[in-house]
PDB file of all heavy atoms in Angstrom:
ATOM      1  N   LEU M 133     112.007  95.927  84.672  1.00 95.00           N
ATOM      2  CA  LEU M 133     111.098  94.834  85.014  1.00 95.00           C
ATOM      3  C   LEU M 133     111.877  93.624  85.534  1.00 95.00           C
ATOM      4  O   LEU M 133     111.545  93.025  86.557  1.00 95.00           O
ATOM      5  CB  LEU M 133     110.296  94.448  83.764  1.00 95.00           C
ATOM      6  CG  LEU M 133     109.367  93.258  83.884  1.00 95.00           C
ATOM      7  CD1 LEU M 133     108.169  93.601  84.754  1.00 95.00           C
ATOM      8  CD2 LEU M 133     108.876  92.807  82.500  1.00 95.00           C
ATOM      9  N   LEU M 134     112.935  93.292  84.830  1.00 97.00           N
ATOM     10  CA  LEU M 134     113.721  92.121  85.185  1.00 97.00           C
ATOM     11  C   LEU M 134     114.425  92.302  86.535  1.00 97.00           C
ATOM     12  O   LEU M 134     114.510  91.356  87.333  1.00 97.00           O
ATOM     13  CB  LEU M 134     114.748  91.866  84.077  1.00 97.00           C
ATOM     14  CG  LEU M 134     115.371  90.500  84.042  1.00 97.00           C
ATOM     15  CD1 LEU M 134     114.316  89.429  83.980  1.00 97.00           C
ATOM     16  CD2 LEU M 134     116.289  90.401  82.826  1.00 97.00           C
ATOM     17  N   ALA M 135     114.880  93.516  86.808  1.00 97.00           N
ATOM     18  CA  ALA M 135     115.516  93.781  88.105  1.00 97.00           C
ATOM     19  C   ALA M 135     114.526  93.487  89.232  1.00 97.00           C
ATOM     20  O   ALA M 135     114.877  92.867  90.242  1.00 97.00           O
ATOM     21  CB  ALA M 135     115.997  95.229  88.166  1.00 97.00           C
ATOM     22  N   GLY M 136     113.270  93.904  89.041  1.00 92.00           N
ATOM     23  CA  GLY M 136     112.233  93.630  90.037  1.00 92.00           C
ATOM     24  C   GLY M 136     111.994  92.134  90.192  1.00 92.00           C
ATOM     25  O   GLY M 136     111.806  91.631  91.306  1.00 92.00           O
ATOM     26  N   HIS M 137     112.034  91.419  89.066  1.00 92.00           N
ATOM     27  CA  HIS M 137     111.842  89.963  89.132  1.00 92.00           C
ATOM     28  C   HIS M 137     112.959  89.294  89.920  1.00 92.00           C
ATOM     29  O   HIS M 137     112.733  88.320  90.632  1.00 92.00           O
ATOM     30  CB  HIS M 137     111.787  89.358  87.725  1.00 92.00           C
ATOM     31  CG  HIS M 137     110.400  89.352  87.170  1.00 92.00           C
ATOM     32  ND1 HIS M 137     109.442  88.480  87.619  1.00 92.00           N
ATOM     33  CD2 HIS M 137     109.797  90.132  86.252  1.00 92.00           C
ATOM     34  CE1 HIS M 137     108.310  88.710  86.979  1.00 92.00           C
ATOM     35  NE2 HIS M 137     108.498  89.722  86.137  1.00 92.00           N
ATOM     36  N   ILE M 138     114.163  89.811  89.755  1.00 96.00           N
ATOM     37  CA  ILE M 138     115.289  89.222  90.484  1.00 96.00           C
ATOM     38  C   ILE M 138     115.074  89.395  91.989  1.00 96.00           C
ATOM     39  O   ILE M 138     115.255  88.453  92.766  1.00 96.00           O
ATOM     40  CB  ILE M 138     116.614  89.854  89.989  1.00 96.00           C
ATOM     41  CG1 ILE M 138     116.899  89.320  88.584  1.00 96.00           C
ATOM     42  CG2 ILE M 138     117.762  89.556  90.947  1.00 96.00           C
ATOM     43  CD1 ILE M 138     118.059  89.974  87.870  1.00 96.00           C
ATOM     44  N   ALA M 139     114.621  90.584  92.397  1.00 90.00           N
ATOM     45  CA  ALA M 139     114.335  90.810  93.820  1.00 90.00           C
ATOM     46  C   ALA M 139     113.237  89.855  94.299  1.00 90.00           C
ATOM     47  O   ALA M 139     113.340  89.253  95.367  1.00 90.00           O
ATOM     48  CB  ALA M 139     113.921  92.260  94.053  1.00 90.00           C
ATOM     49  N   ALA M 140     112.201  89.711  93.483  1.00 86.00           N
ATOM     50  CA  ALA M 140     111.080  88.852  93.872  1.00 86.00           C
ATOM     51  C   ALA M 140     111.523  87.396  93.993  1.00 86.00           C
ATOM     52  O   ALA M 140     111.178  86.706  94.947  1.00 86.00           O
ATOM     53  CB  ALA M 140     109.950  88.983  92.855  1.00 86.00           C
ATOM     54  N   ARG M 141     112.294  86.940  93.000  1.00 90.00           N
ATOM     55  CA  ARG M 141     112.739  85.543  93.023  1.00 90.00           C
ATOM     56  C   ARG M 141     113.635  85.260  94.225  1.00 90.00           C
ATOM     57  O   ARG M 141     113.634  84.167  94.768  1.00 90.00           O
ATOM     58  CB  ARG M 141     113.474  85.201  91.722  1.00 90.00           C
ATOM     59  CG  ARG M 141     112.550  85.105  90.523  1.00 90.00           C
ATOM     60  CD  ARG M 141     111.762  83.804  90.541  1.00 90.00           C
ATOM     61  NE  ARG M 141     112.639  82.654  90.536  1.00 90.00           N
ATOM     62  CZ  ARG M 141     113.155  82.117  89.443  1.00 90.00           C
ATOM     63  NH1 ARG M 141     112.848  82.624  88.268  1.00 90.00           N
ATOM     64  NH2 ARG M 141     113.958  81.076  89.521  1.00 90.00           N
ATOM     65  N   LEU M 142     114.400  86.278  94.635  1.00 91.00           N
ATOM     66  CA  LEU M 142     115.273  86.098  95.794  1.00 91.00           C
ATOM     67  C   LEU M 142     114.557  86.461  97.096  1.00 91.00           C
ATOM     68  O   LEU M 142     115.137  86.373  98.166  1.00 91.00           O
ATOM     69  CB  LEU M 142     116.538  86.951  95.641  1.00 91.00           C
ATOM     70  CG  LEU M 142     117.476  86.539  94.505  1.00 91.00           C
ATOM     71  CD1 LEU M 142     118.575  87.566  94.307  1.00 91.00           C
ATOM     72  CD2 LEU M 142     118.076  85.158  94.766  1.00 91.00           C
ATOM     73  N   GLN M 143     113.290  86.889  96.958  1.00 83.00           N
ATOM     74  CA  GLN M 143     112.490  87.269  98.125  1.00 83.00           C
ATOM     75  C   GLN M 143     113.176  88.357  98.938  1.00 83.00           C
ATOM     76  O   GLN M 143     113.211  88.310 100.163  1.00 83.00           O
ATOM     77  CB  GLN M 143     112.259  86.042  99.026  1.00 83.00           C
ATOM     78  CG  GLN M 143     111.505  84.934  98.357  1.00 83.00           C
ATOM     79  CD  GLN M 143     110.013  85.054  98.601  1.00 83.00           C
ATOM     80  OE1 GLN M 143     109.547  85.204  99.722  1.00 83.00           O
ATOM     81  NE2 GLN M 143     109.263  85.042  97.526  1.00 83.00           N
ATOM     82  N   ARG M 144     113.740  89.324  98.228  1.00 85.00           N
ATOM     83  CA  ARG M 144     114.416  90.402  98.935  1.00 85.00           C
ATOM     84  C   ARG M 144     113.752  91.734  98.616  1.00 85.00           C
ATOM     85  O   ARG M 144     113.200  91.919  97.533  1.00 85.00           O
ATOM     86  CB  ARG M 144     115.880  90.494  98.482  1.00 85.00           C
ATOM     87  CG  ARG M 144     116.708  89.269  98.793  1.00 85.00           C
ATOM     88  CD  ARG M 144     118.140  89.602  98.505  1.00 85.00           C
ATOM     89  NE  ARG M 144     119.022  88.461  98.598  1.00 85.00           N
ATOM     90  CZ  ARG M 144     120.326  88.594  98.837  1.00 85.00           C
ATOM     91  NH1 ARG M 144     120.854  89.787  98.997  1.00 85.00           N
ATOM     92  NH2 ARG M 144     121.087  87.535  98.907  1.00 85.00           N
ATOM     93  N   PRO M 145     113.846  92.684  99.549  1.00 82.00           N
ATOM     94  CA  PRO M 145     113.342  94.024  99.235  1.00 82.00           C
ATOM     95  C   PRO M 145     114.129  94.631  98.084  1.00 82.00           C
ATOM     96  O   PRO M 145     115.294  94.291  97.862  1.00 82.00           O
ATOM     97  CB  PRO M 145     113.541  94.818 100.518  1.00 82.00           C
ATOM     98  CG  PRO M 145     114.286  93.969 101.453  1.00 82.00           C
ATOM     99  CD  PRO M 145     114.385  92.584 100.907  1.00 82.00           C
ATOM    100  N   PHE M 146     113.469  95.514  97.362  1.00 87.00           N
ATOM    101  CA  PHE M 146     113.977  96.014  96.090  1.00 87.00           C
ATOM    102  C   PHE M 146     114.180  97.519  96.204  1.00 87.00           C
ATOM    103  O   PHE M 146     113.218  98.273  96.318  1.00 87.00           O
ATOM    104  CB  PHE M 146     112.922  95.671  95.033  1.00 87.00           C
ATOM    105  CG  PHE M 146     113.240  96.057  93.629  1.00 87.00           C
ATOM    106  CD1 PHE M 146     114.508  95.881  93.105  1.00 87.00           C
ATOM    107  CD2 PHE M 146     112.243  96.573  92.802  1.00 87.00           C
ATOM    108  CE1 PHE M 146     114.775  96.221  91.786  1.00 87.00           C
ATOM    109  CE2 PHE M 146     112.506  96.905  91.490  1.00 87.00           C
ATOM    110  CZ  PHE M 146     113.781  96.732  90.989  1.00 87.00           C
ATOM    111  N   TYR M 147     115.428  97.940  96.222  1.00 89.00           N
ATOM    112  CA  TYR M 147     115.721  99.370  96.332  1.00 89.00           C
ATOM    113  C   TYR M 147     116.202  99.913  94.996  1.00 89.00           C
ATOM    114  O   TYR M 147     117.168  99.398  94.424  1.00 89.00           O
ATOM    115  CB  TYR M 147     116.779  99.624  97.400  1.00 89.00           C
ATOM    116  CG  TYR M 147     116.249  99.412  98.793  1.00 89.00           C
ATOM    117  CD1 TYR M 147     116.646  98.325  99.558  1.00 89.00           C
ATOM    118  CD2 TYR M 147     115.315 100.295  99.315  1.00 89.00           C
ATOM    119  CE1 TYR M 147     116.136  98.128 100.830  1.00 89.00           C
ATOM    120  CE2 TYR M 147     114.806 100.109 100.591  1.00 89.00           C
ATOM    121  CZ  TYR M 147     115.225  99.019 101.344  1.00 89.00           C
ATOM    122  OH  TYR M 147     114.715  98.830 102.589  1.00 89.00           O
ATOM    123  N   ILE M 148     115.524 100.928  94.515  1.00 92.00           N
ATOM    124  CA  ILE M 148     115.851 101.502  93.210  1.00 92.00           C
ATOM    125  C   ILE M 148     116.560 102.837  93.391  1.00 92.00           C
ATOM    126  O   ILE M 148     116.073 103.708  94.109  1.00 92.00           O
ATOM    127  CB  ILE M 148     114.564 101.747  92.387  1.00 92.00           C
ATOM    128  CG1 ILE M 148     113.769 100.452  92.263  1.00 92.00           C
ATOM    129  CG2 ILE M 148     114.909 102.327  91.022  1.00 92.00           C
ATOM    130  CD1 ILE M 148     112.382 100.653  91.697  1.00 92.00           C
ATOM    131  N   VAL M 149     117.700 102.951  92.776  1.00 91.00           N
ATOM    132  CA  VAL M 149     118.453 104.200  92.806  1.00 91.00           C
ATOM    133  C   VAL M 149     118.610 104.663  91.371  1.00 91.00           C
ATOM    134  O   VAL M 149     119.160 103.941  90.537  1.00 91.00           O
ATOM    135  CB  VAL M 149     119.853 103.974  93.415  1.00 91.00           C
ATOM    136  CG1 VAL M 149     120.671 105.245  93.321  1.00 91.00           C
ATOM    137  CG2 VAL M 149     119.728 103.531  94.850  1.00 91.00           C
ATOM    138  N   ARG M 150     118.090 105.829  91.077  1.00 84.00           N
ATOM    139  CA  ARG M 150     118.267 106.360  89.723  1.00 84.00           C
ATOM    140  C   ARG M 150     119.464 107.288  89.747  1.00 84.00           C
ATOM    141  O   ARG M 150     119.415 108.360  90.334  1.00 84.00           O
ATOM    142  CB  ARG M 150     117.014 107.116  89.293  1.00 84.00           C
ATOM    143  CG  ARG M 150     115.830 106.172  89.038  1.00 84.00           C
ATOM    144  CD  ARG M 150     114.668 106.992  88.598  1.00 84.00           C
ATOM    145  NE  ARG M 150     115.118 107.889  87.540  1.00 84.00           N
ATOM    146  CZ  ARG M 150     114.671 107.858  86.302  1.00 84.00           C
ATOM    147  NH1 ARG M 150     113.784 106.971  85.968  1.00 84.00           N
ATOM    148  NH2 ARG M 150     115.118 108.704  85.411  1.00 84.00           N
ATOM    149  N   LEU M 151     120.529 106.846  89.091  1.00 84.00           N
ATOM    150  CA  LEU M 151     121.752 107.638  89.181  1.00 84.00           C
ATOM    151  C   LEU M 151     121.588 109.016  88.550  1.00 84.00           C
ATOM    152  O   LEU M 151     122.213 109.968  88.990  1.00 84.00           O
ATOM    153  CB  LEU M 151     122.924 106.868  88.584  1.00 84.00           C
ATOM    154  CG  LEU M 151     123.377 105.766  89.549  1.00 84.00           C
ATOM    155  CD1 LEU M 151     124.215 104.721  88.861  1.00 84.00           C
ATOM    156  CD2 LEU M 151     124.164 106.343  90.718  1.00 84.00           C
ATOM    157  N   ASP M 152     120.699 109.119  87.565  1.00 81.00           N
ATOM    158  CA  ASP M 152     120.519 110.452  86.966  1.00 81.00           C
ATOM    159  C   ASP M 152     119.946 111.451  87.974  1.00 81.00           C
ATOM    160  O   ASP M 152     120.268 112.624  87.953  1.00 81.00           O
ATOM    161  CB  ASP M 152     119.670 110.386  85.690  1.00 81.00           C
ATOM    162  CG  ASP M 152     118.350 109.671  85.880  1.00 81.00           C
ATOM    163  OD1 ASP M 152     118.155 109.054  86.947  1.00 81.00           O
ATOM    164  OD2 ASP M 152     117.513 109.726  84.965  1.00 81.00           O
ATOM    165  N   SER M 153     119.101 110.958  88.896  1.00 81.00           N
ATOM    166  CA  SER M 153     118.510 111.890  89.862  1.00 81.00           C
ATOM    167  C   SER M 153     119.497 112.259  90.964  1.00 81.00           C
ATOM    168  O   SER M 153     119.249 113.158  91.757  1.00 81.00           O
ATOM    169  CB  SER M 153     117.244 111.287  90.477  1.00 81.00           C
ATOM    170  OG  SER M 153     117.608 110.258  91.358  1.00 81.00           O
TER     171      SER M 153
END
Side-chain angles (χ1 to χ4, degrees):
L133 176 71
L134 198 55
H137 272 287
I138 288 172
R141 288 284 301 275
L142 294 171
Q143 298 268 310
R144 297 189 187 204
F146 182 42
Y147 288 109
I148 304 169
V149 175
R150 289 181 49 117
L151 285 162
D152 53 350
S153 72

